[in-house]
Amino acid sequence: MPTPPLAGSTTGPAALRPLIDTVLTALHDGAHRRDGPLPTGGPDAVTTRTRTITRPVIPDHGTGPHDALRTLVTALAEGAADPAHPLCAAHLHTPPLALATAADLAASALNPSMDSWDQAPAASALEADITAALATEIYPHHPSPDALVTTGGTEANQLALLLARERNGPVQTICAANAHHSITRAAWLLGLPTPVVIPAPTGVMDLEALDEALTEHHRPLLVTATAGTTDTGRIDPLADIADLCTTHGAELHIDAAYGGPLLFSPTHRGKVHGLDRAHSVTLDLHKLGWQPASAGILAVPHRTHLDALHHRASYLNADDDTEAGLPDLLGRSLRTTRRPDALKIAVTLKALGRTGLADLIDRTIATAHHLADLIAKTPTLDLYDRPTISTVLFRPTHADDHTVATIRRTLLTRGHAVLGRAHTDDRLWLKATLLNPHTTPDDLRTLLDLVNQLTNDLAEGNTPR
C-alpha cells in the first residue's frame, strides 16, 4: 500500500497559508473559552481538561494537520496564561508584538541554523548587524562593541561569568542579595567559588558593604550588579559601583535583563547611567522589548572579549573555509544549532524605530505609576514604594503573609488575575509586573477591586474555593 503524502509537509507559502488560518482560528476559539487571563480550577483541573482533549499524544493513525493544529492549539490557548490580558501581571512575561510573532513564524519556516554560514547566509549577516547595533546602544563610545544572541538573561549571565573566568582564572563573584538566582547557578555550573553575597537593605546593592568586600577579597574579582531586579524592579547605583570596581581593580558585569531597554527612552535612560562601564551587560528583549521568547543578548565593549568562545569543528568552520572568507559562526554561542532570533528583533526595531520603542516603554512605566497612585489612595491597601521601572508591590492593610499568599493563589485558581509574589522588608507582597502598554486605568481598578473583595471575603471567614 503506497504511503499517502503528508499534508502540510512543505513550508512554501501555499502550504503554510491554510495552516496559519487554522492556527489563528484555534487561538481565537481557545481564548474565548477562557473568561480571564488564566484558566479556572488550578493545576489539577487544567491538567485534566488538557489531557482529555489532547490524548493520545501519539495515536496509531494521525488525525491530519488541520485537526491536530485545531485540537492542540485550541487546548493550549484555552489553558494559557495570557500575557496580553491586562490582569496577567505576575512575571516579566510580555504580550509579544504581533509583528515580532510574525517574524518568528518566518524564522521557523525558513529554518536557518546559525552555526555555519552555508545554513544561514543572509541570517548570519543580519545577526551580525543587529548584535553590533545593540552593543553600540550600550557602549556608544567604544570603537568595536559586539553582542551575542542568547536564550535569555540566564544564559547571558552564565556566558558573562564564563568569559570573566577565561580572562582571569577562577574569579570570585560578588553580588548583592537582590541579584538574580542565575548568578549563583552560573558560578556553580562553571566550578567557580560560591558568590559573596552582600546586603541590599534598601533593595539595591549597599556600596559600603561592596567596598568592604572588595577590600577583603584578593583573588580576581567580578562584581555583578543589577539594573532591574526581579522582585522590585530596583536598579543598583551603577556608576558608583563602577567607580568602586575601578578603585579595587575588579571587573563588572551588569544584569540589565529587565532595565536595559530603558536606554531607548530619552525619559528614562538616565536610570541606567553607567551601563557602558561594565565589562559585560545582559539584555533581555522578551521583557521590555515585547519579543516572543527567546530574545536574550550579552553585550561586550570590544569584540575580542568574545574570542574565548572560539571553537573548531571541521564540518562547520574549517580553517581553509574561514581563510577563504566564509564567516565563522561557531564562536557566537555555546550552542550549535540555534534559531535566527535576531530576525524578530530586527523586524521590531525596523518597524518601530527608537521613538516607537520609547513610546511603548514610557507608556508602560506611566501605567505602573498610575497603579501606584491608585494603591496609595486606597485606604485598604499598602504600597511598598514608587516603581523604578514597571513593578509595583502592594498588600492589603493589616493582612498577614498567609492571607496575602491565599489571595494570590485564589485569584489564580479562579482565573481572575495573575499576580506575582515578592518577599521584602520581612513581609510578603503581591507583585504586579506591568508590561502591557495597552492596560487601561479601568483595568487597574478592576485588579484592585478583585484584591479588596477577596480580602473582605477572607476576613468574613468565607473560604476560597
Side-chain angles (χ1 to χ4, degrees):
M1 179 177 180
T3 302
L6 178 60
S9 61
T10 61
T11 57
L16 277 175
R17 195 168 291 119
L19 297 175
I20 292 170
D21 289 341
T22 299
V23 167
L24 293 176
T25 300
L27 287 171
H28 178 272
D29 291 346
H32 277 73
R33 295 180 187 179
R34 171 177 34 79
D35 293 331
L38 205 69
T40 60
D44 290 343
V46 173
T47 299
T48 298
R49 286 198 299 268
T50 302
R51 287 175 173 169
T52 298
I53 296 169
T54 60
R55 286 184 171 180
V57 293
I58 307 178
D60 290 334
H61 303 285
T63 62
H66 291 281
D67 180 80
L69 281 169
R70 187 163 45 247
T71 300
L72 294 177
V73 174
T74 300
L76 197 65
E78 181 181 356
D82 181 8
H85 194 287
L87 301 189
C88 192
H91 303 285
L92 289 163
H93 180 203
T94 54
L97 293 166
L99 65 94
T101 304
D104 219 24
L105 171 62
S108 294
L110 294 167
N111 203 30
S113 183
M114 305 299 297
D115 51 314
S116 67
W117 182 87
D118 58 350
Q119 299 175 85
S124 62
L126 180 63
E127 181 181 87
D129 286 350
I130 199 66
T131 51
L134 288 169
T136 301
E137 294 293 322
I138 296 170
Y139 297 106
H141 306 299
H142 291 256
S144 56
D146 202 357
L148 302 176
V149 178
T150 72
T151 54
T154 293
E155 184 189 352
N157 287 338
Q158 290 173 350
L159 283 172
L161 266 64
L162 170 63
L163 293 172
R165 186 192 70 180
E166 294 306 293
R167 286 192 298 270
N168 304 295
V171 295
Q172 173 65 66
T173 302
I174 300 174
C175 64
N178 63 358
H180 193 262
H181 64 84
S182 61
I183 299 299
T184 300
R185 293 190 74 189
W188 163 75
L189 181 67
L190 295 167
L192 296 174
T194 300
V196 173
V197 180
I198 61 176
T202 63
V204 297
M205 184 181 287
D206 183 272
L207 293 173
E208 184 175 343
L210 175 60
D211 193 17
E212 292 174 0
L214 288 169
T215 301
E216 178 182 348
H217 295 86
H218 302 292
R219 70 171 76 219
L221 301 175
L222 174 70
V223 175
T224 64
T226 308
T229 61
T230 303
D231 277 350
T232 66
R234 291 277 181 81
I235 296 173
D236 285 337
L238 304 180
D240 293 332
I241 292 170
D243 288 342
L244 285 172
C245 288
T246 299
T247 298
H248 290 275
E251 291 195 354
L252 173 62
H253 168 66
I254 299 176
D255 177 2
Y258 182 12
L262 297 181
L263 284 171
F264 286 99
S265 166
T267 303
H268 297 286
R269 67 165 60 109
K271 295 177 180 178
V272 289
H273 174 67
L275 210 59
D276 61 328
R277 297 179 61 187
H279 291 76
S280 55
V281 173
T282 287
L283 195 67
D284 199 346
L285 292 171
H286 65 247
K287 296 179 174 64
L288 278 180
W290 293 277
Q291 299 299 291
S294 299
I297 297 290
L298 177 71
V300 294
H302 197 283
R303 64 171 64 97
T304 57
H305 289 195
L306 302 175
D307 287 351
L309 297 178
H310 175 74
H311 183 68
R312 182 70 69 197
S314 59
Y315 73 102
L316 294 173
N317 60 346
D319 287 335
D320 58 319
D321 279 348
T322 302
E323 291 167 3
L326 294 184
D328 181 354
L329 306 184
L330 203 53
R332 303 292 298 176
S333 177
L334 291 181
R335 294 170 285 152
T336 304
T337 301
R338 58 188 180 88
R339 300 181 75 250
D341 287 316
L343 174 61
K344 61 197 175 192
I345 299 171
V347 167
T348 299
L349 294 176
K350 185 80 166 178
L352 299 183
R354 298 176 190 278
T355 57
L357 190 55
D359 178 63
L360 292 178
I361 292 168
D362 293 350
R363 284 161 52 191
T364 300
I365 294 175
T367 300
H369 279 274
H370 187 74
L371 177 59
D373 290 340
L374 289 175
I375 294 168
K377 294 173 183 176
T378 304
T380 56
L381 298 173
D382 291 340
L383 175 68
Y384 173 71
D385 202 354
R386 305 295 303 177
T388 302
I389 307 178
S390 65
T391 300
V392 182
L393 303 188
F394 67 103
R395 53 181 284 141
T397 303
H398 306 309
D400 59 20
D401 285 358
H402 174 73
T403 300
V404 173
T406 300
I407 289 169
R408 175 181 175 270
R409 286 193 293 269
T410 304
L411 291 171
L412 294 177
T413 302
R414 293 178 178 176
H416 290 168
V418 188
L419 288 171
R421 56 186 288 161
H423 198 276
T424 187
D425 283 0
D426 296 322
R427 295 203 292 174
L428 184 66
W429 300 81
L430 298 171
K431 179 175 70 170
T433 308
L434 299 176
L435 291 170
N436 189 337
H438 303 294
T439 299
T440 68
D442 285 344
D443 295 325
L444 300 177
R445 282 188 285 269
T446 297
L447 177 63
L448 299 185
D449 288 345
L450 286 168
V451 171
N452 276 325
Q453 182 60 56
L454 191 49
T455 304
N456 291 336
D457 289 347
L458 292 170
E460 293 170 1
N462 296 329
T463 303
R465 294 182 181 179

